[in-house]
């Protein structure tokens, strides 16, 4: 068959790896697809920049012409614009698109998928979530006949490395972060990672795909790990927990705001027996709870040039085979535009609260009264004697584990606990996920 022409937008670390594999593995890819792939153009911003291994005759700054001449477009530019305009143009002309652009998909998932469906082409994006881990296709295709109720994932390798080092080595946050930067796991400006924003974009994509609803990154409640201290990690370890930055996407049948969907990212406690608790270093994992399939977990490298290139090429082979064999566009079902995205205040969760209290009679009664007033309940209470402070007053650490309560009730409870005379400080508040 005549070769399928492939235009690539962007040529950074991942793009260079993808281009090299298309050329070096041309025969094997042609056998899998049923037609050869021909890299027709590589769109870059700066033609003068050296790109070892890339045929200079393929380099161009003219994205529109490159797209017009392509059967398949690989978008690796990142950002919202001009990526969105270029992808839309490619879809509208009938070219299938492969992208790793999580920011764009998190903002415009439903719109772009609908455009692909109208043109009867594919928009594949396996590399946008969890790198080389195959999660998008299993959720979108393999589990299409099932009902996914909940997804909980470690989808940012930088934060997982930091928290893992704090847990296993006893490091503080600053040391773990600086080491992650030295090893190349964290950027010079790590805000997107440690602030939870990278994970939030991935949570939006997973929610949109699993629940077939247009969930954007603006719908995701986000908290980062900047406030996690070595003491919090040590306390969690003593209680049989590990702290992980989790992306949680779920269907909620009942809440004060009614049924709906929830997408949230925050550091949370996991029992060490939970499968996600054993995910170490910069690895990622996604844990799915489905109605018929039950519990499933996908694990692997979530970042890096080679793993991400592997996911991109898997998508390229998929769309190329579909183009050779023929087939529909993206989905047979419409997006549920009226899906309710619930606020974090309506979610039911559990807390572990650590208080620095004055060690004197009446402390436990005062704390219990606040819980009772707010309709919250305590599952476990543990007190350890602390040191005598500069005023010669004995103080203690009080660790409270709550039963499931609404986020709003627990937030009010914590606020009132901080106002008690017997409470010197609310040392930490962290949610509990998993069983």
């Amino acid at each position: 068959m005549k070769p399928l022409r492939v235009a690539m937008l962007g040529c950074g670390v991942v793009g260079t790896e993808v281009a090299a594999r298309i050329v070096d593995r041309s025969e094997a890819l042609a056998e899998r697809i049923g037609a050869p792939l021909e890299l027709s153009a590589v769109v870059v911003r700066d033609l003068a920049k050296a790109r070892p291994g890339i045929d200079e005759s393929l380099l161009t700054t003219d994205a529109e012409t490159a797209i017009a001449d392509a059967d398949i477009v690989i978008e690796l530019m990142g950002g919202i614009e001009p990526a969105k305009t270029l992808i839309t143009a490619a879809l509208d002309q009938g070219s299938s698109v492969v992208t790793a652009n999580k920011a764009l998909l998190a903002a415009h998932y439903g719109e772009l998928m609908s455009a692909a469906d109208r043109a009867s082409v594919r928009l594949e994006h396996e590399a946008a979530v969890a790198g080389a881990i195959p999660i998008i296709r299993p959720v979108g295709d393999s589990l299409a006949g099932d009902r996914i109720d909940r997804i909980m994932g470690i989808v940012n390798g930088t934060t997982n490395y930091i928290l893992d080092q704090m847990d296993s080595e006893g490091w503080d946050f600053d040391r773990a972060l600086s080491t992650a930067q030295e090893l190349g796991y964290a950027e010079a400006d790590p805000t997107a990672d440690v602030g939870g924003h990278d994970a939030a974009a991935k949570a939006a994509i997973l929610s949109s795909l699993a629940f077939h609803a247009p969930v954007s990154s603006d719908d995701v409640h986000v908290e980062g790990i900047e406030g996690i201290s070595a003491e919090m990690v040590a306390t969690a370890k003593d209680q049989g927990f590990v702290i992980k930055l989790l992306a949680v996407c779920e269907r909620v049948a009942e809440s004060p705001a009614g049924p709906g969907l929830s997408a949230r990212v925050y550091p949370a406690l996991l029992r060490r027996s939970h499968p996600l608790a054993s995910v170490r270093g910069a690895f990622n994992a996604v844990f799915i709870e489905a109605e018929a399939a039950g519990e499933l977990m996908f694990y692997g490298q979530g970042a890096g040039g080679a793993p991400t290139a592997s996911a991109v090429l898997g998508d390229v082979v998929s769309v190329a085979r579909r183009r050779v064999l023929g087939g529909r566009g993206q989905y047979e079902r419409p997006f549920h535009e009226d899906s309710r995205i619930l606020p974090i205040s309506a979610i039911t969760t559990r807390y572990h609260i650590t208080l620095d209290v004055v060690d004197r009679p009446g402390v436990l009664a005062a704390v219990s009264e606040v819980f009772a007033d707010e309709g919250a309940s305590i599952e476990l209470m543990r007190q350890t004697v602390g040191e005598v402070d500069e005023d010669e007053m004995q103080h203690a650490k009080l660790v409270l584990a709550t039963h499931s309560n609404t986020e709003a009730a627990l937030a009010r409870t914590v606020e009132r606990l901080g106002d008690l005379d017997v409470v010197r400080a609310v040392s930490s508040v962290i949610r509990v996920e998993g069983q």
Side-chain angles (χ1 to χ4, degrees), residues 258-309:
L261 305 176
S262 171
R264 53 198 192 267
V265 169
Y266 45 54
L269 296 172
L270 282 173
R271 288 277 181 197
R272 289 187 176 265
S273 57
H274 193 282
L276 286 176
S278 61
V279 179
R280 304 289 304 277
F283 278 71
N284 284 192
V286 179
F287 189 80
I288 296 176
E289 298 174 26
E291 187 175 60
E295 296 179 345
L296 307 167
M297 191 168 94
F298 301 80
Y299 167 86
Q301 294 195 50
T308 305

Side-chain angles (χ1 to χ4, degrees), residues 285-338:
V286 179
F287 189 80
I288 296 176
E289 298 174 26
E291 187 175 60
E295 296 179 345
L296 307 167
M297 191 168 94
F298 301 80
Y299 167 86
Q301 294 195 50
T308 305
S310 171
V312 169
L313 276 172
D315 282 346
V316 170
V317 170
S318 176
V319 300
R321 281 182 56 81
R322 182 174 290 265
R323 195 168 189 94
V324 169
L325 299 174
R328 257 192 65 78
Q330 204 65 21
Y331 294 107
E332 286 75 23
R333 299 176 296 161
F335 274 84
H336 302 304
E337 298 289 346
D338 59 345

